[in-house]
Amino acid sequence: MDSLITAAARALAAGDPLGALNRVALRSDPPALALRGIAMAQLGDLARAKTLLRSAARAFGPKGSVARARCVVAEAEIALASRDLGWPAKALDAARATLEEHGDAVNAAHARYLEARRLLLIGRIDEAEQALATLDPGQLPPALRAAHELVAAGIAMRRIRTGPAGAALDRARRAARQAGIPALAAEVESAALILDTPAARLIARGEERPLRLAEVEALLASDSLVVDACRYVVRGDGVVVSRATRPVLFALARLLGEAWPADVSRDALVAGAFRARHADESHRVRLRVEIGRLRRMLRPLAGIGATPRGFALTPRRAREVVILALPVEERHAAVLAFLTDGESWSSSALALALGASQRSVQRALDGLAATGKVQSFGSGPARRWVTPPVLGFTTSLLLPGPLPSD
């Protein structure tokens, strides 16, 4: 490798894409094409970066398997940055295996880190944690060590474990300072803001207040009966009753929890759970059936007693009944949660991350666009959707992933 290629590579490693381009911008040999592609990615021109990296991969000869694998890893990082979540993961696995076989431990670790980031983004928390566990951060260079700790912090936040999340962010800060890359340091500080930003709302006895992640963690560990509207479960005394597949039953549980210790009238339950404007006898019959089902399901945690005007929730051991609600409650909140990361998303990537059909996601995006909450650019397969962040809120509890004891 000649001196200009070496200097350009060092500039890229230090976060200086313009310095790298000054050395290789006029060259078209395979190593220069690859470095130009990475430089363009750092400058934000992802389409041009992808083209250059593919050209470089094709140009490397039969003996350039390691160089081609590095191009694949760089292209995978671009795909992740552009939220192309359908990018073939098998190609990244094959590239990682090639790099490990030839002793390129750093780039192989980078491939593993990209895999963990993608898994975290689509809510496969356990798999992301397993992928990260195969890496020894002590053997990584500072920049990659900071990225490793950012993923570890993201996993801890999605599990609502603020202690490990804060420790991982502290390690990421130290590694970012050692790397000396301003953009990386800014990314760490942006991630750290999540711990100090309201992540949910607590509703109890007719009042509500915002909660930070640490307060959510403390609430879930308390002796309160928690009607958790973030994951559609009811929690208390180490018992978790899921109602994610029965929205009517969860709606009834939430109405009863919001009114506790008072009761809720039958008409209010019918209107809130069945969306009926006027309750007739068929609605009242259905209400009795659904209350019976809910009573059986909540038996380990609470009883539901009939009152002259309706029904009331009676916790068995908990001294308090509270509602843990999303920071933003509106239609298509989950779609907005992904878009608030500041990146541009395609509808196919959102569908993959949400586990929904692309047609459903497209309808949600069209509805949000009609109210001015999201914007799109491009057309056809290249169409992307963006939205400004929801100021003052973190979206950790809107994204897919388990809470403690799930």
Side-chain angles (χ1 to χ4, degrees), residues 266-267 269-271 274-290:
R266 290 171 176 81
D267 287 346
L269 289 170
V270 166
F274 305 152
R275 299 291 188 265
R277 293 183 179 180
H278 304 288
D280 56 26
E281 188 57 32
S282 66
H283 289 119
R284 295 187 179 92
V285 170
R286 184 185 176 192
L287 177 63
R288 287 195 295 271
V289 172
E290 300 293 359

mmCIF file of all heavy atoms in Angstrom, residues 266-267 269-271 274-290:
data_model
loop_
_atom_site.group_PDB
_atom_site.id
_atom_site.type_symbol
_atom_site.label_atom_id
_atom_site.label_comp_id
_atom_site.label_asym_id
_atom_site.label_seq_id
_atom_site.Cartn_x
_atom_site.Cartn_y
_atom_site.Cartn_z
ATOM 1 N N ARG A 266 -70.770 1.849 34.023
ATOM 2 C CA ARG A 266 -70.895 0.922 32.898
ATOM 3 C C ARG A 266 -70.886 1.660 31.565
ATOM 4 O O ARG A 266 -70.276 1.210 30.589
ATOM 5 C CB ARG A 266 -72.170 0.085 33.058
ATOM 6 C CG ARG A 266 -72.078 -0.923 34.204
ATOM 7 C CD ARG A 266 -73.409 -1.593 34.495
ATOM 8 N NE ARG A 266 -73.282 -2.617 35.528
ATOM 9 C CZ ARG A 266 -73.255 -2.356 36.830
ATOM 10 N NH1 ARG A 266 -73.364 -1.095 37.252
ATOM 11 N NH2 ARG A 266 -73.122 -3.323 37.706
ATOM 12 N N ASP A 267 -71.565 2.785 31.514
ATOM 13 C CA ASP A 267 -71.582 3.553 30.265
ATOM 14 C C ASP A 267 -70.191 4.034 29.885
ATOM 15 O O ASP A 267 -69.813 4.018 28.704
ATOM 16 C CB ASP A 267 -72.527 4.750 30.398
ATOM 17 C CG ASP A 267 -73.992 4.330 30.396
ATOM 18 O OD1 ASP A 267 -74.273 3.170 30.038
ATOM 19 O OD2 ASP A 267 -74.847 5.154 30.774
ATOM 20 N N LEU A 269 -67.321 2.598 30.679
ATOM 21 C CA LEU A 269 -66.545 1.441 30.246
ATOM 22 C C LEU A 269 -66.915 1.035 28.830
ATOM 23 O O LEU A 269 -66.041 0.711 28.016
ATOM 24 C CB LEU A 269 -66.770 0.273 31.208
ATOM 25 C CG LEU A 269 -66.149 0.413 32.599
ATOM 26 C CD1 LEU A 269 -66.639 -0.685 33.519
ATOM 27 C CD2 LEU A 269 -64.624 0.399 32.520
ATOM 28 N N VAL A 270 -68.212 1.060 28.521
ATOM 29 C CA VAL A 270 -68.647 0.720 27.170
ATOM 30 C C VAL A 270 -68.091 1.719 26.156
ATOM 31 O O VAL A 270 -67.562 1.351 25.102
ATOM 32 C CB VAL A 270 -70.190 0.677 27.098
ATOM 33 C CG1 VAL A 270 -70.659 0.656 25.655
ATOM 34 C CG2 VAL A 270 -70.720 -0.536 27.845
ATOM 35 N N ALA A 271 -68.171 3.014 26.494
ATOM 36 C CA ALA A 271 -67.687 4.040 25.572
ATOM 37 C C ALA A 271 -66.181 3.952 25.385
ATOM 38 O O ALA A 271 -65.664 4.097 24.270
ATOM 39 C CB ALA A 271 -68.079 5.420 26.086
ATOM 40 N N PHE A 274 -65.340 -0.104 23.991
ATOM 41 C CA PHE A 274 -65.990 -0.558 22.766
ATOM 42 C C PHE A 274 -66.157 0.543 21.729
ATOM 43 O O PHE A 274 -66.631 0.282 20.620
ATOM 44 C CB PHE A 274 -67.373 -1.144 23.088
ATOM 45 C CG PHE A 274 -67.344 -2.244 24.109
ATOM 46 C CD1 PHE A 274 -68.435 -2.482 24.928
ATOM 47 C CD2 PHE A 274 -66.227 -3.057 24.256
ATOM 48 C CE1 PHE A 274 -68.421 -3.494 25.871
ATOM 49 C CE2 PHE A 274 -66.201 -4.073 25.198
ATOM 50 C CZ PHE A 274 -67.290 -4.292 26.007
ATOM 51 N N ARG A 275 -65.798 1.768 22.094
ATOM 52 C CA ARG A 275 -65.935 2.919 21.209
ATOM 53 C C ARG A 275 -67.390 3.098 20.750
ATOM 54 O O ARG A 275 -67.654 3.440 19.604
ATOM 55 C CB ARG A 275 -65.026 2.772 19.984
ATOM 56 C CG ARG A 275 -63.549 2.687 20.322
ATOM 57 C CD ARG A 275 -63.042 4.015 20.840
ATOM 58 N NE ARG A 275 -61.599 4.012 20.986
ATOM 59 C CZ ARG A 275 -60.961 3.751 22.115
ATOM 60 N NH1 ARG A 275 -61.671 3.457 23.210
ATOM 61 N NH2 ARG A 275 -59.655 3.785 22.183
ATOM 62 N N ALA A 276 -68.316 2.844 21.653
ATOM 63 C CA ALA A 276 -69.733 2.992 21.327
ATOM 64 C C ALA A 276 -70.247 4.316 21.861
ATOM 65 O O ALA A 276 -70.024 4.652 23.034
ATOM 66 C CB ALA A 276 -70.536 1.841 21.927
ATOM 67 N N ARG A 277 -70.917 5.075 21.019
ATOM 68 C CA ARG A 277 -71.435 6.374 21.449
ATOM 69 C C ARG A 277 -72.610 6.207 22.404
ATOM 70 O O ARG A 277 -72.774 6.965 23.360
ATOM 71 C CB ARG A 277 -71.865 7.189 20.239
ATOM 72 C CG ARG A 277 -70.708 7.600 19.344
ATOM 73 C CD ARG A 277 -71.198 8.476 18.196
ATOM 74 N NE ARG A 277 -70.088 8.903 17.349
ATOM 75 C CZ ARG A 277 -70.239 9.681 16.274
ATOM 76 N NH1 ARG A 277 -71.464 10.099 15.924
ATOM 77 N NH2 ARG A 277 -69.201 10.024 15.548
ATOM 78 N N HIS A 278 -73.455 5.205 22.144
ATOM 79 C CA HIS A 278 -74.630 4.992 22.980
ATOM 80 C C HIS A 278 -74.669 3.521 23.375
ATOM 81 O O HIS A 278 -74.676 2.638 22.510
ATOM 82 C CB HIS A 278 -75.911 5.377 22.237
ATOM 83 C CG HIS A 278 -75.899 6.786 21.727
ATOM 84 N ND1 HIS A 278 -76.006 7.877 22.559
ATOM 85 C CD2 HIS A 278 -75.767 7.276 20.466
ATOM 86 C CE1 HIS A 278 -75.959 8.983 21.831
ATOM 87 N NE2 HIS A 278 -75.802 8.645 20.560
ATOM 88 N N ALA A 279 -74.687 3.260 24.680
ATOM 89 C CA ALA A 279 -74.689 1.886 25.169
ATOM 90 C C ALA A 279 -76.097 1.325 25.129
ATOM 91 O O ALA A 279 -77.036 1.928 25.650
ATOM 92 C CB ALA A 279 -74.139 1.854 26.595
ATOM 93 N N ASP A 280 -76.252 0.153 24.483
ATOM 94 C CA ASP A 280 -77.543 -0.528 24.517
ATOM 95 C C ASP A 280 -77.376 -1.839 25.283
ATOM 96 O O ASP A 280 -76.301 -2.127 25.826
ATOM 97 C CB ASP A 280 -78.084 -0.776 23.098
ATOM 98 C CG ASP A 280 -77.096 -1.555 22.231
ATOM 99 O OD1 ASP A 280 -76.262 -2.303 22.796
ATOM 100 O OD2 ASP A 280 -77.150 -1.423 21.001
ATOM 101 N N GLU A 281 -78.405 -2.647 25.305
ATOM 102 C CA GLU A 281 -78.360 -3.862 26.115
ATOM 103 C C GLU A 281 -77.298 -4.835 25.610
ATOM 104 O O GLU A 281 -76.649 -5.529 26.404
ATOM 105 C CB GLU A 281 -79.737 -4.543 26.104
ATOM 106 C CG GLU A 281 -79.839 -5.724 27.074
ATOM 107 C CD GLU A 281 -79.517 -5.322 28.506
ATOM 108 O OE1 GLU A 281 -79.800 -4.173 28.889
ATOM 109 O OE2 GLU A 281 -78.964 -6.170 29.240
ATOM 110 N N SER A 282 -77.080 -4.890 24.279
ATOM 111 C CA SER A 282 -76.043 -5.794 23.759
ATOM 112 C C SER A 282 -74.661 -5.384 24.242
ATOM 113 O O SER A 282 -73.813 -6.245 24.531
ATOM 114 C CB SER A 282 -76.081 -5.807 22.225
ATOM 115 O OG SER A 282 -75.710 -4.539 21.684
ATOM 116 N N HIS A 283 -74.421 -4.080 24.354
ATOM 117 C CA HIS A 283 -73.136 -3.609 24.870
ATOM 118 C C HIS A 283 -72.976 -3.999 26.333
ATOM 119 O O HIS A 283 -71.879 -4.375 26.777
ATOM 120 C CB HIS A 283 -73.028 -2.087 24.717
ATOM 121 C CG HIS A 283 -72.872 -1.634 23.302
ATOM 122 N ND1 HIS A 283 -73.783 -0.810 22.676
ATOM 123 C CD2 HIS A 283 -71.911 -1.902 22.377
ATOM 124 C CE1 HIS A 283 -73.374 -0.579 21.437
ATOM 125 N NE2 HIS A 283 -72.246 -1.224 21.231
ATOM 126 N N ARG A 284 -74.050 -3.891 27.096
ATOM 127 C CA ARG A 284 -73.964 -4.226 28.525
ATOM 128 C C ARG A 284 -73.728 -5.720 28.721
ATOM 129 O O ARG A 284 -72.972 -6.117 29.616
ATOM 130 C CB ARG A 284 -75.235 -3.765 29.237
ATOM 131 C CG ARG A 284 -75.410 -2.252 29.248
ATOM 132 C CD ARG A 284 -76.578 -1.812 30.105
ATOM 133 N NE ARG A 284 -76.701 -0.364 30.098
ATOM 134 C CZ ARG A 284 -77.452 0.321 29.244
ATOM 135 N NH1 ARG A 284 -78.179 -0.325 28.327
ATOM 136 N NH2 ARG A 284 -77.512 1.629 29.302
ATOM 137 N N VAL A 285 -74.330 -6.535 27.864
ATOM 138 C CA VAL A 285 -74.078 -7.975 27.938
ATOM 139 C C VAL A 285 -72.618 -8.270 27.608
ATOM 140 O O VAL A 285 -71.949 -9.054 28.293
ATOM 141 C CB VAL A 285 -75.016 -8.729 26.970
ATOM 142 C CG1 VAL A 285 -74.603 -10.196 26.861
ATOM 143 C CG2 VAL A 285 -76.453 -8.615 27.429
ATOM 144 N N ARG A 286 -72.114 -7.641 26.552
ATOM 145 C CA ARG A 286 -70.716 -7.851 26.188
ATOM 146 C C ARG A 286 -69.794 -7.372 27.301
ATOM 147 O O ARG A 286 -68.772 -8.001 27.582
ATOM 148 C CB ARG A 286 -70.400 -7.108 24.884
ATOM 149 C CG ARG A 286 -68.975 -7.368 24.405
ATOM 150 C CD ARG A 286 -68.629 -6.538 23.197
ATOM 151 N NE ARG A 286 -67.240 -6.750 22.831
ATOM 152 C CZ ARG A 286 -66.563 -6.002 21.956
ATOM 153 N NH1 ARG A 286 -67.183 -4.999 21.348
ATOM 154 N NH2 ARG A 286 -65.293 -6.256 21.701
ATOM 155 N N LEU A 287 -70.139 -6.249 27.941
ATOM 156 C CA LEU A 287 -69.322 -5.736 29.030
ATOM 157 C C LEU A 287 -69.230 -6.754 30.157
ATOM 158 O O LEU A 287 -68.136 -6.981 30.713
ATOM 159 C CB LEU A 287 -69.897 -4.413 29.547
ATOM 160 C CG LEU A 287 -69.168 -3.795 30.741
ATOM 161 C CD1 LEU A 287 -67.728 -3.446 30.359
ATOM 162 C CD2 LEU A 287 -69.897 -2.551 31.236
ATOM 163 N N ARG A 288 -70.353 -7.384 30.518
ATOM 164 C CA ARG A 288 -70.318 -8.381 31.588
ATOM 165 C C ARG A 288 -69.404 -9.551 31.211
ATOM 166 O O ARG A 288 -68.647 -10.056 32.043
ATOM 167 C CB ARG A 288 -71.736 -8.879 31.883
ATOM 168 C CG ARG A 288 -72.607 -7.871 32.608
ATOM 169 C CD ARG A 288 -73.838 -8.536 33.192
ATOM 170 N NE ARG A 288 -74.720 -9.048 32.159
ATOM 171 C CZ ARG A 288 -75.703 -8.345 31.589
ATOM 172 N NH1 ARG A 288 -75.903 -7.081 31.954
ATOM 173 N NH2 ARG A 288 -76.469 -8.884 30.664
ATOM 174 N N VAL A 289 -69.464 -9.950 29.931
ATOM 175 C CA VAL A 289 -68.612 -11.056 29.482
ATOM 176 C C VAL A 289 -67.135 -10.676 29.564
ATOM 177 O O VAL A 289 -66.297 -11.435 30.076
ATOM 178 C CB VAL A 289 -68.994 -11.461 28.043
ATOM 179 C CG1 VAL A 289 -67.983 -12.469 27.490
ATOM 180 C CG2 VAL A 289 -70.398 -12.042 28.004
ATOM 181 N N GLU A 290 -66.804 -9.482 29.061
ATOM 182 C CA GLU A 290 -65.398 -9.063 29.051
ATOM 183 C C GLU A 290 -64.883 -8.804 30.460
ATOM 184 O O GLU A 290 -63.720 -9.105 30.770
ATOM 185 C CB GLU A 290 -65.229 -7.806 28.179
ATOM 186 C CG GLU A 290 -65.632 -7.982 26.717
ATOM 187 C CD GLU A 290 -64.715 -8.929 25.955
ATOM 188 O OE1 GLU A 290 -63.744 -9.446 26.537
ATOM 189 O OE2 GLU A 290 -64.985 -9.169 24.768
#
